[in-house]
Amino acid sequence: LRMSLMCKSSLGNAVVDEFPILRQEVHDGKALLYLDSAATSQKPIAVTEAFRKAAQEVTSFPDDADIKEEIETARANVASLLNASPRDIVFTRGATEALNLVARGWGDANISEGDEIILTVMEHHSNLVPWQSLAERNRAVLKFVPLSKDQAFNMEAFKSLLNPGKTKIVAVNHVSNVLGCVNPVKEISELAHAAGALVSVDACQSVPHMPVDVKELGADFISASGHKMLGPTGIGFLWGRSELLNAMEPLNAGGAAMSRVSINPASTFHDAPAPWRFEAERLPYAEIMALSEACKYLQSRNMSQVHEYEMELGHYLWDSLSEIPGISLYGPSPSSSAGRDRGALVAFNCKGIHSNDLAFFLDQEGVAIRSGHHCTQPLHRALGVAGSARASLYLYNTREDIDKFCTILRKTLKMFSDMGFGVEETSPCPLVSTSDPTLRDPGIDRPCTDLWPKVDAEAEGVKENN
């Protein structure tokens, strides 16, 4: 490991005091160990203070000139993080709305019967369902890029799916929220454009963690959410090429999205130019101010340094988990070409133990991880499991956090083993998982590790009736 990680003056140690929530105690005085930033990140004091000030101290309505100017300054701060033009940044309620805006605003006008849309099996539902809905409405064809042998983006399969003249758009995540692999968006964009297709990127797991330059990536649309990048919930953004945004239909009509409305001599209306044509509602001022501060904070920390630090942490997390017997890890190994720059997250399963059960008992020790399908049900089916546990890191985490996590994880697995679940500590299992028959779909049948108390349905019914 590099000196930047070994040194006590690491990035995580340098910034942790700016995140007071990380110093709290839970469950009878246990220190919180937060390893769930891929779901929602924590917020530094500067961001929460910006939100508080906007919510409590600003009394003017959003048509006030000063507030409008602050919103445009915030737009510029988001754009600066992406090396983009502010005029190409649309504020949305989150990445899900941004992705739906592309599927509706661009897709409905440009996708016809028989046209083809390429996605991957690793997509988050927010970058899958909008395209499924579009394909259903317009009778388009969906094609899916499978995983490579090392559980990453399968470039050869992608090339075989491209169909010049028929492929209209490729929708892909930049970093998988389960596999951790960084997908080659620049190469994907070059190949897609050569085939006459556009590229829409779900950048929720990349914008918070690494430099993202829209000019360098070459994609046509990029979406991200505020709450994964030190900002609040309820705010996100869409970046799109100017010519595409101005040709798209907005999801909502009215309000500030109109440049002129008249009823005489005929009822007419004209959309405002992008990005304002997509922002019909009164914008969430406090959320935008907090997102703006989050972007400034990230830039102040140098995104290249953040990315390097997180890669080192992520590799250490992978290596530490791989030493624990009975654990299967998902995604490409850091030692592989597909995994050397992987994100700072690891999804895993412990043989014979449901991820929800594992997460529950880790929570009792103060450890916050994520369990379930992580809004990627098709991916987990491709992996042969119903769900997984996931530990994810951010710039405020440290190597010591990983050591503590693995110590508690070993203790928890020992508890399961003592009760007859899981595996005894023999030799480590392979890093690349195989299908585990004990991890059945909980929607169909709970696995054998069902530790929840049984409920007498009739007795429960009597209790409710009383």
Side-chain angles (χ1 to χ4, degrees), residues 75 87-93 97-98 100-102 104-106 221 238-258 271-284:
R75 198 188 306 273
R87 290 287 296 268
D88 299 335
I89 300 293
V90 179
F91 287 122
T92 62
R93 290 177 296 176
E97 183 176 62
N100 274 274
L101 177 55
V102 177
R104 283 278 186 180
W106 182 87
F221 300 103
L238 167 69
W239 171 86
R241 298 191 184 278
S242 296
E243 64 274 17
L244 296 174
L245 291 177
N246 280 299
M248 285 167 51
E249 288 294 321
L251 292 180
N252 302 308
M258 301 292 104
D271 291 332
W276 305 284
R277 65 191 293 139
F278 302 106
E279 299 170 351
E281 303 89 349
R282 178 167 288 174
L283 291 173

Side-chain angles (χ1 to χ4, degrees), residues 29-51:
K30 294 183 175 68
L32 171 65
L33 178 54
Y34 190 77
L35 302 177
D36 195 21
S37 292
T40 294
S41 64
Q42 299 303 334
K43 304 162 188 62
I45 294 172
V47 170
T48 56
E49 177 59 19
F51 186 92

Side-chain angles (χ1 to χ4, degrees), residues 410-430:
R410 286 178 180 272
K411 173 185 173 183
T412 303
L413 294 179
K414 178 64 165 57
M415 178 203 71
F416 276 106
S417 178
D418 290 344
M419 293 190 295
F421 302 109
V423 296
E424 295 181 358
E425 294 202 5
T426 53
S427 58
C429 65

Side-chain angles (χ1 to χ4, degrees), residues 294-312:
C295 291
K296 290 165 59 180
Y297 183 93
L298 287 171
Q299 285 197 297
S300 74
R301 290 296 171 185
N302 188 320
M303 291 307 296
S304 293
Q305 293 181 11
V306 170
H307 182 41
E308 181 180 2
Y309 177 71
E310 289 190 18
M311 276 199 302
E312 293 171 347

